[in-house]
């Protein structure tokens, strides 16, 4: 069996983390697609076709890694025309049943096992992984009859859900799918339409993934899903190790499962409470507290007197004193002293975030900020819960961020409370 991995989309729903394909975001020193591929390798799959964008960013990143026993072919989707078009690029390379999944399915080994067991029990040629959800309005939902699938309803309105089982994004299909896809009108959800028609002609079974939604990683649809992916990877793969070249000052406290990479420095009074991952060439300043599922990639600096909890910092991100809770900071972003990411509402209610102009219920009561790459955050900035800052932004000192800030924006709050923005060309 061959596996097809789709990794060519614009990843627009995970803005501001979409300066590259979402499967290239790193946790514990490796991109998410590495875990997807490793799971397929452990599942004894030998051939993999990866569909990527013309940037070839997936191919260029994966050159840094070796996958024994895997043969990987790269194909290009010229324009981001959706899942169906990306899969269409592969049609000439598939003669038998094939597995289809996305590049950020980090628990691929578990899900392939469910597919294989369903095949053994039912002799099915077509299988979809399903999972119970409490948020059907956010997903493609299965219309079921017994353990057979009759169709998929994309993001059904409340009260019109065909079931409480969502499509997880792992499919076992036959090449017959392409004959059907070729005939449907091309649009945003043409893959789902073709899949529903395919299931009418081909008996398709659901393999129900029994783990609860809150306990297993979703594919990365929205930025905050990265926290669940990180937790899964930490719980299953993080190992305690402190490299010999790490310099640890006196009066440093390290508790729990903690990994610290080569040439990192931990200064006096720092406290690290695992599980935590700290990459190579990192600096943890005096009297800083790093606790509970913190992921710091290479060359991250956490300055003196900072507290970082349940947060993810990508390569080269730096900060001085301040509080960073349940937040994600992209590559090479610099944050000034005294900055606070407020991560809980005053009423302790569920936090909503804006995605592509739409307010989305995150399902979280603790969510800080997400900041894109190459941004500069001034001193004593306060960012409200669930508010995002784009790439290449500048946020002035003493500002309060009450709403999302778009890419390439200069933003500051005047002392009188009047907000001003500056884009690349004009004031407004």
């Amino acid at each position: 069996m061959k596996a097809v991995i789709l990794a060519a989309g614009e990843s627009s729903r995970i803005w501001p983390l979409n300066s590259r394909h979402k499967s290239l975001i790193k946790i514990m020193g490796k991109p998410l697609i590495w875990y997807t591929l490793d799971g397929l390798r452990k599942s004894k799959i030998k051939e993999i076709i990866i569909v990527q964008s013309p940037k070839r960013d997936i191919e260029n990143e994966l050159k840094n890694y070796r996958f024994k026993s895997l043969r990987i072919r790269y194909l290009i989707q010229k324009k981001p025309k959706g899942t169906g078009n990306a899969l269409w690029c592969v049609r000439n390379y598939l003669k038998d049943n094939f597995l289809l999944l996305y590049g950020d399915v980090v628990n691929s080994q578990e899900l392939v096992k469910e597919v294989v067991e369903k095949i053994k029990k039912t002799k099915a040629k077509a299988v979809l992984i399903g999972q119970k959800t409490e948020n059907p309005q956010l997903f493609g939902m299965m219309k079921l009859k017994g353990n057979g699938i009759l169709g998929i309803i994309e993001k059904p309105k409340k009260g019109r859900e065909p079931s409480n089982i969502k499509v997880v994004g792992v499919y076992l299909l036959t090449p017959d799918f392409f004959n059907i896809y070729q005939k449907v009108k091309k649009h945003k959800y043409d893959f789902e339409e073709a899949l529903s028609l395919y299931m009418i002609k081909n008996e398709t079974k659901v393999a129900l993934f029994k783990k609860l939604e809150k306990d297993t990683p979703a594919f990365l649809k929205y930025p905050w899903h990265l926290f669940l992916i990180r937790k899964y990877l930490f719980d299953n793969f993080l190992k305690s190790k402190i490299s010999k070249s790490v310099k640890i000052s006196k009066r440093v406290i390290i508790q729990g499962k903690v990994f610290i990479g080569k040439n990192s420095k931990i200064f006096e009074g720092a406290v690290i409470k695992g599980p935590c991952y700290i990459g190579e060439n990192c600096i943890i300043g005096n009297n800083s507290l790093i606790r509970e599922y913190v992921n710091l990639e290479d060359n991250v600096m956490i300055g003196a007197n900072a507290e970082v909890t349940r947060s993810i910092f990508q390569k080269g991100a730096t900060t001085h004193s301040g509080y960073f809770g349940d937040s994600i900071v992209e590559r090479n972003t610099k944050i000034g002293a005294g900055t606070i990411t407020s991560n809980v509402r005053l009423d302790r209610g569920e936090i909503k975030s804006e995605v592509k102009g739409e307010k989305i219920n995150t399902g979280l009561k603790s969510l800080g900020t997400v900041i894109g790459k190459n941004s500069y955050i001034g001193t004593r900035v306060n960012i409200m819960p669930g508010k995002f800052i784009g790439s290449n932004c500048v946020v002035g000192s003493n500002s309060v961020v009450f709403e999302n800030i778009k890419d390439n924006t200069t933003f500051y709050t005047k002392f009188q409370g009047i907000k001003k923005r500056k884009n690349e060309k004009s004031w407004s």
Side-chain angles (χ1 to χ4, degrees), residues 6 82-91 94 96-98 100 102 125-126 128 152 171-184 186 189-202 204:
L6 303 184
T83 300
N85 180 264
L87 183 56
W88 182 252
C89 299
V90 190
R91 65 193 183 282
L94 300 172
D96 298 304
N97 295 11
F98 62 93
L100 172 66
Y102 298 99
K125 293 184 178 180
L128 271 63
I152 296 172
Y171 314 81
L172 174 69
L173 301 173
T174 64
D176 295 342
F177 174 83
F178 296 107
N179 297 327
I180 295 173
Y181 178 77
Q182 189 175 17
K183 297 175 183 178
V184 302
K186 301 304 178 279
Y189 296 118
D190 56 14
F191 172 75
E192 288 77 9
E193 181 181 341
L195 190 58
S196 291
L197 293 171
Y198 171 86
M199 290 187 292
I200 293 173
K201 296 183 177 181
N202 299 269
T204 305

Side-chain angles (χ1 to χ4, degrees), residues 9-48:
E10 294 179 311
S11 306
S12 58
R13 284 178 298 197
I14 68 157
W15 177 88
L17 304 177
N18 63 335
S19 60
R20 52 184 172 169
H21 192 268
K22 59 185 178 179
S23 65
L24 295 179
I25 296 171
K26 290 188 176 182
I27 299 292
M28 295 195 303
K30 295 183 175 67
L32 301 183
I33 196 169
W34 184 93
Y35 297 100
T36 305
L37 288 167
D38 193 55
L40 294 174
R41 179 188 65 80
K42 292 175 180 176
S43 301
K44 309 300 182 185
I45 289 176
K46 305 294 184 183
E47 278 192 72
I48 294 175

Side-chain angles (χ1 to χ4, degrees), residues 8 50-56 59 74-78 89:
I50 298 177
V51 183
Q52 61 180 338
S53 76
K55 293 189 295 184
R56 296 181 180 270
E59 184 176 359
Y74 296 95
L75 299 179
I76 301 294
Q77 184 187 23
K78 294 181 180 179
C89 299

